[in-house]
Amino acid sequence: MASKVSPLAPARFPDLPIIGGVRFASAAAGVRYKGRTDVMLAVIEEATVAGTFTRSATRSAPVRDGQSKLAHSEGGRAAFLVNSGNSNAFTGRLGEEAVHGICTAAAAALDLPPSRIFTSSTGVIGEPLPWQRIADAVPALRDALAPDGIEAAARAIMTTDTFPKGASAELDLPGGTVRIAGIAKGSGMIAPDMATMLVYVFTDARIGREELQALTSAACDRSFNRITVDSDTSTSDTLLVAATGASGVDASGQPDFARALESVFLDLALQVVRDGEGATKLVQVRVTGAASEPDAHRTAMAIANSPLVKTAIAGEDANWGRIVMAVGKSGAQADRDRLSIRFGDIVVALDGFRAPDYSEEAASAYMKRQELEIGVDLGLGDGAATVWTCDLTHGYIDINADYRS
Amino acid sequence: MASKVSPLAPARFPDLPIIGGVRFASAAAGVRYKGRTDVMLAVIEEATVAGTFTRSATRSAPVRDGQSKLAHSEGGRAAFLVNSGNSNAFTGRLGEEAVHGICTAAAAALDLPPSRIFTSSTGVIGEPLPWQRIADAVPALRDALAPDGIEAAARAIMTTDTFPKGASAELDLPGGTVRIAGIAKGSGMIAPDMATMLVYVFTDARIGREELQALTSAACDRSFNRITVDSDTSTSDTLLVAATGASGVDASGQPDFARALESVFLDLALQVVRDGEGATKLVQVRVTGAASEPDAHRTAMAIANSPLVKTAIAGEDANWGRIVMAVGKSGAQADRDRLSIRFGDIVVALDGFRAPDYSEEAASAYMKRQELEIGVDLGLGDGAATVWTCDLTHGYIDINADYRS
């Protein structure tokens, strides 16, 4: 857990705006870690809640509980209660009992129906969650709630993360200014599929539940569903968005709001990649000219998940042959003689062959950058997709060859 | 290239039987490597040839050429001419010219039609193949042909391999004894999909082309298509089988012959995994109780390809939670409460929870073995599949962060 901060980390945690109607607290409940906070509580007044979750067939008890509650979400006050250190996944009947125990305790302490308590758990899989420690922490958390506690909350939900992740947007709509602030955790087991890691986003905009859900799902598809660290999909991925309406500003039907929400999602998603386990490079993979958008996405993910591409990037090796390999294995339609590949602005391959003016020296110099762009044009159609990944380094092996121990 | 021999390597190259009608030679043509052999030639009398190839959309020029020749294979003498060091993949028009140049030279030297020359190339992608060096080596190769040159041939086709790979079978059929001998290369970029790495298998059995092809495809599906080192699929995967009939023994319709052929394939496939880049553990993943056979295969491959599972194995960590994760992400039907997991004979999870008598100590002791079995029962149906993989170690990063340079 005492990893050095990722070299790709932002200089500091951003200044996030206060979101009217939302208060935060965090505490050290001793779930698994010693000497650090591991539980965060957010209480939201008049919350319209939307969300997305992992589609893993072995998803955790809190994910299943959250999915069911979201489907029947009714408005009014709500709480998000999140612990790190233990994911409460694959814990059988004890998993449901733990969620029930936490929600019952929180409902009593916060004077809320249990159906308005959304819990998440992240950490080791398969260990019974010592939920009583979390339940016991709720009264103190309640007493500590404050509008400016979001950075501490972001720290409390970290696991192998090396820095807390936050992002925000402020925008002027016809009715006035609205604010969006979000936090996330995630570093390994990152290949969200129709879902994400743990992400909590708050806004003081006024917006209906169905519209907020639609905006959330669409923005998630273009942000969290476009990142990968290691192709492994978590059992606990959860994204929750709460709108309080405290600004009094109606965001319904406002494209600027949709764009701002997506920008916050994307900012957080890229911070997750920047904190990819062992990462030293942030890599954008842009595929164009695919026969379809799904083909573009499939090709981009095949590149972004390829261990051989990712180790070449770690070694600062302009090994574009491995990109050819990944394109070939992706299952997407491809034609060698129409394929072109670039690193940044350097065209390395064109029409099925090394580019005529290819310079190994220039490509190698480019690979020394900390942020890289790989561009692939399949030359077949209009399908395009962008995904983000990181390199695969000794640091990843160090972290994961004994994370649990 | 000067890697230490894999700790999982067999003690020595096996004694392979002489296959009547097949002669081998190898040479140092200087394609890319210095001070070692890098070209092998096999000339087969009265060859019935079958094969399978990568389905990569960016497959190499020799693969495309071999596919087309196999489709029109007519019997009679044939030759396999293989180089290491350069894969002649993504080399555009020059790739086809190189294959044409090599085949023309070999056809002249061996007095064969070019349609009976099957070439393969393995090594770096995207560099023009210096094919004239190979063409120039053919006369000397021809003059050196000998029935016992198969081990030297196995060495000549190695790239990042740390040991040459051979396997054989001998079996008594009603008409007499037949022999099968095969060689393979492969270490990284190993996730054959309906194909394999470079593999050449020879038998003195007499058998028709269609039947040999059917046996080859079926055996390949149960051997090479069940291994993975790094989930990356080569542009050059090629498996060729040649039957000479020199034994005079008819193997048509003999299940024992089919089984023997498959046993040679599986032996070679497991040697490829044993030589997986950086591998220190050989891991068998056996999935049972799946809703279907494809679901079982998908689940087994999700486990076998998961970086988090493979790094846990490298760290000798009995981290079965990551197996739950991989089952969940596979896309196959799964039900947490019916899932059970074992390491060898140690049941670690049962019916959606840690096994009641789970002993971390026993599981950890098991993980220290060099050869491991992971068993997963999905509890849903009769679908079953077995695949083989290796661990993901610092060695893999070392090898691949600067293979090309």
Side-chain angles (χ1 to χ4, degrees):
Chain A
M1 294 308 112
S3 305
K4 277 186 303 192
V5 172
S6 165
L8 305 172
R12 60 183 188 82
F13 193 81
D15 294 322
L16 300 185
I18 299 290
I19 305 297
V22 190
R23 291 172 302 148
F24 303 88
S26 43
V31 173
R32 182 181 181 89
Y33 310 130
K34 305 292 170 203
R36 54 158 281 190
T37 57
D38 57 1
V39 185
M40 85 97 169
L41 173 69
V43 174
I44 311 116
E45 310 298 325
E46 293 302 327
T48 301
V49 181
T52 63
F53 298 89
T54 183
R55 296 214 179 153
S56 166
T58 54
R59 56 196 181 277
S60 68
V63 165
R64 289 170 193 272
D65 183 65
Q67 285 176 309
S68 126
K69 286 175 176 171
L70 202 63
H72 304 95
S73 178
E74 286 304 323
R77 279 172 73 222
F80 299 166
L81 182 53
V82 184
N83 74 274
S84 56
N86 183 312
S87 70
N88 193 17
F90 208 72
T91 45
R93 183 182 42 76
L94 292 184
E96 277 90 54
E97 287 176 9
V99 174
H100 180 74
I102 293 169
C103 288
T104 303
L110 300 169
D111 190 23
L112 272 173
S115 64
R116 295 296 283 167
I117 315 250
F118 295 86
T119 74
S120 306
S121 297
T122 177
V124 69
I125 296 172
E127 301 279 341
L129 178 68
W131 64 268
Q132 191 66 51
R133 296 179 201 168
I134 300 169
D136 290 347
V138 173
L141 284 163
R142 175 200 58 205
D143 295 344
L145 285 165
D148 62 354
I150 193 167
E151 178 175 349
R155 290 185 189 280
I157 62 177
M158 291 164 62
T159 57
T160 54
D161 304 65
T162 72
F163 62 88
K165 298 164 187 71
S168 67
E170 255 186 69
L171 70 157
D172 293 323
L173 295 181
T177 301
V178 302
R179 293 149 208 91
I180 305 172
I183 56 175
K185 66 81 54 179
S187 181
M189 207 177 274
I190 302 286
D193 181 17
M194 313 301 160
T196 173
M197 298 309 299
L198 297 191
V199 186
Y200 306 94
V201 175
F202 308 90
T203 175
D204 56 10
R206 198 169 65 218
I207 188 164
R209 187 162 70 88
E210 284 180 24
E211 184 173 356
L212 186 63
Q213 182 62 53
L215 293 181
T216 296
S217 297
C220 183
D221 264 351
R222 288 192 293 269
S223 55
F224 294 103
N225 286 355
R226 296 294 165 100
I227 65 171
T228 181
V229 168
D230 53 10
S231 79
D232 277 340
T233 302
S234 165
T235 47
S236 304
D237 293 341
T238 297
L239 160 71
L240 289 171
V241 181
T244 66
S247 66
V249 178
D250 187 359
S252 309
Q254 295 290 342
D256 282 355
F257 180 75
R259 273 192 289 273
L261 190 69
E262 184 175 326
S263 77
V264 170
F265 281 20
L266 188 57
D267 190 335
L268 291 171
L270 292 187
Q271 288 186 55
V272 170
V273 182
R274 284 177 178 280
D275 207 6
E277 289 170 342
T280 67
K281 310 268 189 189
L282 174 67
V283 186
Q284 176 183 297
V285 180
R286 170 83 179 152
V287 173
T288 53
S292 66
E293 192 278 341
D295 259 18
H297 189 206
R298 191 175 298 129
T299 303
M301 276 297 188
I303 296 166
N305 277 325
S306 160
L308 288 171
V309 170
K310 291 158 73 84
T311 48
I313 292 166
E316 301 186 333
D317 176 11
N319 195 327
W320 55 272
R322 295 185 183 171
I323 304 203
V324 174
M325 175 281 299
V327 169
K329 78 164 181 171
S330 71
Q333 195 184 324
D335 177 343
R336 183 197 69 183
D337 295 336
R338 290 163 176 268
L339 182 60
S340 66
I341 300 170
R342 61 178 175 74
F343 291 151
D345 293 329
I346 303 168
V347 177
V348 295
L350 203 62
D351 302 336
F353 192 48
R354 196 168 61 186
D357 57 352
Y358 174 72
S359 152
E360 178 84 19
E361 203 180 351
S364 294
Y366 180 78
M367 299 306 288
K368 298 197 184 304
R369 296 189 190 189
Q370 202 168 55
E371 303 194 10
L372 301 170
E373 281 180 41
I374 297 174
V376 171
D377 192 283
L378 297 175
L380 298 172
D382 296 328
T386 302
V387 309
W388 290 268
T389 190
C390 57
D391 52 344
L392 173 58
T393 69
H394 286 294
Y396 185 86
I397 311 283
D398 284 336
I399 293 165
N400 287 303
D402 61 357
Y403 165 46
R404 210 188 48 149
S405 318
Chain B
M1 295 308 114
S3 305
K4 277 185 304 193
V5 173
S6 165
L8 304 172
R12 59 182 189 83
F13 192 81
D15 294 322
L16 300 185
I18 299 290
I19 305 296
V22 190
R23 290 171 303 148
F24 302 89
S26 43
V31 173
R32 183 182 182 88
Y33 310 130
K34 305 292 171 202
R36 54 158 281 191
T37 57
D38 57 1
V39 185
M40 84 99 170
L41 173 68
V43 174
I44 311 116
E45 308 300 323
E46 291 305 323
T48 300
V49 182
T52 63
F53 297 90
T54 183
R55 294 214 180 154
S56 166
T58 55
R59 57 197 181 276
S60 69
V63 165
R64 289 170 192 272
D65 183 65
Q67 285 177 309
S68 127
K69 286 177 176 170
L70 203 61
H72 304 94
S73 179
E74 287 303 325
R77 278 172 72 222
F80 299 166
L81 182 53
V82 185
N83 75 274
S84 55
N86 183 313
S87 72
N88 193 16
F90 208 73
T91 44
R93 183 181 43 76
L94 292 184
E96 276 89 54
E97 288 177 8
V99 174
H100 180 75
I102 293 169
C103 288
T104 303
L110 300 170
D111 189 24
L112 271 173
S115 64
R116 294 295 284 169
I117 316 260
F118 295 87
T119 74
S120 306
S121 298
T122 177
V124 69
I125 295 172
E127 300 279 341
L129 177 67
W131 64 266
Q132 191 65 53
R133 295 179 202 168
I134 300 168
D136 290 347
V138 173
L141 284 164
R142 175 199 58 206
D143 296 343
L145 284 166
D148 62 355
I150 194 168
E151 178 174 349
R155 290 185 189 279
I157 62 176
M158 290 165 61
T159 57
T160 55
D161 304 65
T162 72
F163 62 87
K165 299 166 186 70
S168 67
E170 254 185 70
L171 69 158
D172 293 323
L173 294 180
T177 301
V178 302
R179 293 148 208 93
I180 305 172
I183 56 174
K185 67 80 55 178
S187 181
M189 207 177 274
I190 301 285
D193 181 18
M194 312 300 160
T196 173
M197 298 309 300
L198 297 192
V199 185
Y200 306 94
V201 175
F202 308 90
T203 176
D204 55 10
R206 197 170 67 219
I207 187 164
R209 187 162 70 88
E210 284 180 24
E211 184 173 356
L212 186 62
Q213 182 62 54
L215 293 180
T216 296
S217 298
C220 182
D221 265 352
R222 288 193 291 270
S223 54
F224 294 103
N225 286 353
R226 296 294 165 99
I227 64 171
T228 181
V229 167
D230 54 10
S231 79
D232 276 339
T233 302
S234 165
T235 48
S236 304
D237 293 341
T238 296
L239 160 72
L240 289 171
V241 181
T244 65
S247 65
V249 178
D250 188 359
S252 307
Q254 295 290 342
D256 281 355
F257 180 75
R259 273 192 288 272
L261 190 69
E262 185 175 326
S263 76
V264 171
F265 280 22
L266 187 58
D267 190 336
L268 291 171
L270 293 186
Q271 289 187 54
V272 170
V273 182
R274 284 177 177 278
D275 207 7
E277 289 171 342
T280 67
K281 309 268 189 190
L282 174 67
V283 186
Q284 176 182 296
V285 180
R286 170 84 180 152
V287 173
T288 53
S292 66
E293 192 278 340
D295 259 18
H297 189 206
R298 193 175 296 129
T299 303
M301 276 297 188
I303 296 167
N305 277 325
S306 160
L308 288 171
V309 170
K310 291 157 73 83
T311 48
I313 292 167
E316 302 186 333
D317 177 10
N319 195 327
W320 56 270
R322 293 185 185 171
I323 302 198
V324 173
M325 175 283 298
V327 170
K329 79 164 181 172
S330 72
Q333 196 184 325
D335 177 344
R336 184 197 67 186
D337 294 336
R338 290 164 177 268
L339 182 60
S340 66
I341 299 169
R342 60 178 174 73
F343 292 150
D345 292 329
I346 303 167
V347 177
V348 295
L350 202 62
D351 301 335
F353 191 47
R354 197 168 60 186
D357 57 352
Y358 173 73
S359 152
E360 178 83 18
E361 203 179 351
S364 293
Y366 180 78
M367 298 306 287
K368 297 196 185 304
R369 297 189 190 189
Q370 203 170 54
E371 302 194 8
L372 301 170
E373 281 180 41
I374 297 174
V376 171
D377 192 283
L378 297 174
L380 298 173
D382 297 328
T386 303
V387 308
W388 290 267
T389 189
C390 57
D391 52 345
L392 173 58
T393 69
H394 286 295
Y396 184 85
I397 311 282
D398 283 336
I399 293 165
N400 287 302
D402 60 358
Y403 165 47
R404 209 187 48 149
S405 318

